[in-house]
Amino acid sequence: MTLVLLTPIGLDAGCWERVPLPAVAIVKHTFPGFGGRPRAPEPPTMTSLADEIAASYEGPLALAGVSLGGMVAQHVAVRHPQRVQSLLVACTGASADPATMEQRAARVLADGMAGVLEETLARWFTPAALAVRPEHPGVAYARRTLLALEPACFADGWLAIAGHDIVARLGEIGVPTSCLAGSADAASPVSRTQEISERVPGARFVELDGPHMMHLERPVEFAAALSEHLRWAGEL
């Protein structure tokens, strides 16, 4: 079994650096256009991102994803059920509002990464973390990584999310699934993640005290929840 970590929009493998990860085989997947990867030749979709995961790694996979990563994980489980052994989806939902995502894509193309940075960080972190001086290391990483990103790549991510709606197929997921929500998540309310747990047979719902970017602001707590999930799924 390989644990595949799936990142939020705009971020790369560096987002896991402060998370004390379990002692299992791990790969940290970065989506096209992020972390120095070339932009996809065709606009990415949930389907193309899910199929890339299945094609990139051999054998049974345990998927753990935050935000966009959690969305893609759901699609991998539905499209490639024979490959997926377990899921942890964090701070995410089973669908997205297309108009909002399209507006975010248009905004970053018009204003650039600097123009959308502060509002993005405000959705991702708690006010307490944003107020820390010197800057909270998770916030500093996100700021640095987003400012280095091409606006068109960020827009591609939002447009891919605009096409996310897997509500009607969640009942097909037949592997151990943990759904992790943050009580202070300003980007994805607890109810969105709870919906997944209610629709996936046998899924667990876990709520932690933290924001949208749980693994960046509360890395130790996120790691504990991930290890708990793997033990529950019989993989640790």
Side-chain angles (χ1 to χ4, degrees), residues 45 86 93 95-97 99 103 110 118 124 127 130 142 174-175 180 206 230 232:
T45 64
S86 72
S95 63
D97 178 55
Q103 288 169 5
E118 296 306 325
W124 284 9
L130 292 170
V175 299
L180 173 63
V206 179
L230 293 174
W232 171 71

Side-chain angles (χ1 to χ4, degrees), residues 100-112:
T100 299
M101 302 305 120
E102 290 164 4
Q103 288 169 5
R104 289 180 186 172
R107 174 80 189 283
V108 71
L109 290 174
D111 297 345

Side-chain angles (χ1 to χ4, degrees), residues 97-190:
D97 178 55
T100 299
M101 302 305 120
E102 290 164 4
Q103 288 169 5
R104 289 180 186 172
R107 174 80 189 283
V108 71
L109 290 174
D111 297 345
M113 293 305 301
V116 301
L117 178 66
E118 296 306 325
E119 65 188 57
T120 301
L121 295 179
R123 286 196 304 268
W124 284 9
F125 298 96
T126 62
L130 292 170
V132 169
R133 293 294 180 269
E135 197 164 52
H136 185 290
V139 176
Y141 158 79
R143 182 185 301 277
R144 180 174 66 251
T145 304
L146 290 177
L147 285 175
L149 191 64
E150 290 291 333
C153 295
F154 205 43
D156 282 349
W158 291 124
L159 294 175
I161 293 174
H164 172 54
D165 186 350
I166 201 164
V167 173
R169 300 194 65 184
L170 289 178
E172 300 174 27
I173 297 177
V175 299
T177 300
S178 294
C179 305
L180 173 63
S183 62
D185 190 339
S188 184
V190 169

Side-chain angles (χ1 to χ4, degrees), residues 15-29:
C15 74
W16 308 107
E17 287 304 311
R18 296 178 58 247
V19 179
L21 295 169
V24 297
I26 295 175
V27 293
K28 303 170 183 177
H29 189 83

